[in-house]
Amino acid sequence: MSKNRPAGQGKESSRRLRAKDYNRSRNRRPPNERPRDLRGTALRLAGLLRPFWPSVLLVVFTAMMSTVVTVFGPMLLGDAVDAIQEQVEIKLAGGVMDFDEIGRILLMLAGLFGMSSLLSYVQAYTMAGVTQKVVCAMREQVNSKLSRLPLRYFDGHTKGDILSRIMNDIDNVSNTLQNNLTQILTSTVMLFSVLGMMFYVSWRMTLIAVSVLPACLIVTLLVSRRSRRYFRRQWDHMGELNGHIEEMYTGHNIVKVFGHEQNAIEEFDDINDELYLVSRRAQFISGTIMPLLSFINNIGYILICVAGGSYVLSGTISLGDITSFIMYSKMFTQPIADLGNIANNIQSSLASAERVFRLLDEEEEPPEQVRHTIEKARGDVRFEHVDFQYLPEKPLIRDLNLEANPGQLVAIVGPTGAGKTTLVNLLMRFYDVNAGRITIDGCDIRELSRENLRHLFGMVLQDTWLFEGSIYENIAYGRPDATRQEVEAAAQMARVTHFIHTLPEGYDTRLEEEGLNLSQGQRQLLTIARAILADPAILILDEATSSVDTRTEVLIQKAMQELMRNRTCFVIAHRLSTIRTADVILAMNHGEIVEIGQHDELMAQNGFYAELYNSQFAGTAPAKQSDSNAAAGENAGTV
């Protein structure tokens, strides 16, 4: 992507280049596009309506009755034309006109149309309720599914793409169900009902009207088949665009600091241009259905008018009957055109439904085999001959053995990609080991429920997470049943009380999304208070004091010493001066523990740890660096 693109020409030149590439490759299937199972997706979508079958039956009944009632309208209108013609002939013969028959027919027409409108209202009202229930159920399924997906799924998908499936795709399905499902039913019933009435009026002219039907079906099938793949690409690009927007918004400070605003704009333009090209082609191709069907239907309409006129002149059919038939012929072609137009929306909806179903079909975390439950852990943690790799061809941890006794402070150090965060991922069972086992108090963590396992841990990470709510609610997130006094005591231990009292509403102060109205250090203090309140048996600290000033760090270290007393603690340290008092220091490189011991012992060995430690003060990088494969693996699994 060029940074020297002339001002004002970036978007247009990008559009031309993308258009050229797109037109050159538009007849090739994208590498990541698999053939779509239209029938399976449609049946699965229909299966979501099964729990609401009484309401669906009511919709079907009212739709059919409304359509049938409407179909009788042209017949009565034809009778009215014949009655008027009869009265005109009586008047011309010198008689007196009688409008009673005409009035009776008009009243019947008014009653029919009123009943049809009432049935249509009931149908629309009921279908709206069913649609929203189905959409609500789909969102609940997706939300429940997300809680069961392994961490690797979120590592491989952007937040924007996931949000697009939950919001945009499900909304698209909702619009189709509400607006098009009943229209398919009414159009189908209308088609066959009108066909029957047309045969009743004149079978000869019916054959003329039906002669254009094969051409309409062929056009609809050909156009729908061609537009199908473009609708799927449209929604895929929509998810990609949402992902880019979400990424640029959450990292807008970094984008501005490094002066990448223009690059971000150009990347947005590129993705937007791809979406524009695919969407334009999808809409153009699908939009040709209506003009083509209208052209074919108008040809049939002309043939009916010509034939009908000749039949009236020959006395084969009455003027009222030909009037009814012409109205029926228009009613006959309208459902065909409607079904062709609905096919566009169905293609788009099925593409969206398939994206949602693909998420629902993703492989979940391995099923739990709960054999033990730990109510109060002692904190005895062991890694026994553990092997692990994120990718089969790139081993990361090999034959790792580690023992952490209750109450010990275990510090984990090493260069980027050494496996430090991976160790935490395995301990929390975000990933399962490929070989060996991890035990807590002698129980294999795979034999504990994930809820029970993670309830034993408290975590304070380098990246803080706060939700939109009050400060009190964010601290109490660590233990929702905590009292007000316990929350305030935890805040006191975390040395966070002072700045809370400086806020206008104290503990009831509302935080913005991710706590952006606080400084990074203040957010870190709140997460530490949350961990203190949770009172876990095992603590995991990932450089928890890295975002606070030196004075605050000293205060927090004192609070941490109280918190860590009689608890097993794992500390991932980058500033090695903070873990000199650790009971055990693990120096890791390439997924292996290369040295183990206390600070003084390791410094006396003058080995890998000593080199890491001295490099932080000498300003030089350690000689031993982890390979890129290990770095890529750990980055893929960072919490």
Side-chain angles (χ1 to χ4, degrees), residues 6 41 52 70 75 79 101 107 163 250 258 298 314 362 386 394 433:
T41 303
F52 314 105
T70 303
M75 182 65 70
D79 292 341
E101 181 65 18
L107 285 175
L163 290 174
T250 55
F258 288 96
N298 286 333
S314 64
E362 287 289 339
V386 169
K394 296 180 179 180
V433 299

Side-chain angles (χ1 to χ4, degrees), residues 23 33 42 97 107 113 211 213 220 226 237 257 267 349 366 413 477 507 517 544 546 548 560 600 610 621:
N23 290 329
E33 181 178 1
M97 297 181 65
L107 285 175
F113 291 140
S211 64
L213 186 58
T220 301
R226 185 168 178 78
H237 286 307
V257 166
E267 185 175 353
S349 177
V413 302
Y477 192 83
Y507 285 91
N517 52 337
S546 61
V548 298
M560 285 296 183
D600 294 337

Side-chain angles (χ1 to χ4, degrees), residues 569-590:
C569 300
F570 291 86
V571 177
I572 297 177
H574 301 287
R575 288 185 291 180
L576 303 187
S577 59
T578 63
I579 48 91
R580 296 179 59 175
T581 59
D583 297 305
V584 180
I585 298 176
L586 307 177
M588 296 189 66
N589 196 23
H590 299 286

Side-chain angles (χ1 to χ4, degrees), residues 7-26:
Q9 297 181 11
K11 185 171 184 178
E12 188 59 35
S13 61
S14 173
R15 188 185 299 278
R16 287 198 298 269
L17 289 172
R18 289 288 177 176
K20 182 186 294 184
D21 294 340
Y22 179 79
N23 290 329
R24 184 169 58 248
S25 63
R26 65 190 180 190

Side-chain angles (χ1 to χ4, degrees), residues 40-80:
T41 303
L43 290 176
R44 189 168 177 179
L45 193 58
L48 295 175
L49 297 170
R50 191 175 304 158
F52 314 105
W53 65 267
S55 298
V56 173
L57 287 180
L58 178 60
V59 170
V60 172
F61 175 76
T62 53
M64 293 180 63
M65 291 303 298
S66 175
T67 304
V68 170
V69 168
T70 303
V71 166
F72 283 102
M75 182 65 70
L76 289 175
L77 193 59
D79 292 341

Side-chain angles (χ1 to χ4, degrees), residues 205-310:
M205 288 195 298
T206 301
L207 294 179
I208 297 175
V210 173
S211 64
V212 301
L213 186 58
C216 293
L217 294 176
I218 291 173
V219 167
T220 301
L221 290 175
L222 290 178
V223 174
S224 298
R225 183 178 301 172
R226 185 168 178 78
S227 65
R228 181 183 307 162
R229 64 178 182 269
Y230 294 106
F231 278 114
R232 174 171 179 176
R233 295 184 199 175
Q234 173 185 338
W235 290 104
D236 286 341
H237 286 307
M238 180 68 74
E240 183 181 358
L241 185 65
N242 286 339
H244 173 75
I245 293 173
E246 189 273 339
E247 186 178 61
M248 292 300 102
Y249 176 75
T250 55
H252 68 278
N253 289 339
I254 302 300
V255 173
K256 289 183 178 296
V257 166
F258 288 96
H260 280 270
E261 294 96 334
Q262 187 59 36
N263 287 352
I265 292 173
E266 291 176 1
E267 185 175 353
F268 174 87
D269 289 340
D270 289 342
I271 301 174
N272 195 36
D273 288 340
E274 291 178 355
L275 178 60
Y276 157 76
L277 290 168
V278 174
S279 299
R280 183 184 68 172
R281 191 159 187 84
Q283 297 298 330
F284 171 76
I285 293 176
S286 62
T288 59
I289 289 181
M290 287 299 293
L292 291 174
L293 292 183
S294 297
F295 175 74
I296 296 172
N297 291 332
N298 286 333
I299 293 176
Y301 183 69
I302 293 172
L303 294 176
I304 290 171
C305 290
V306 172
S310 64

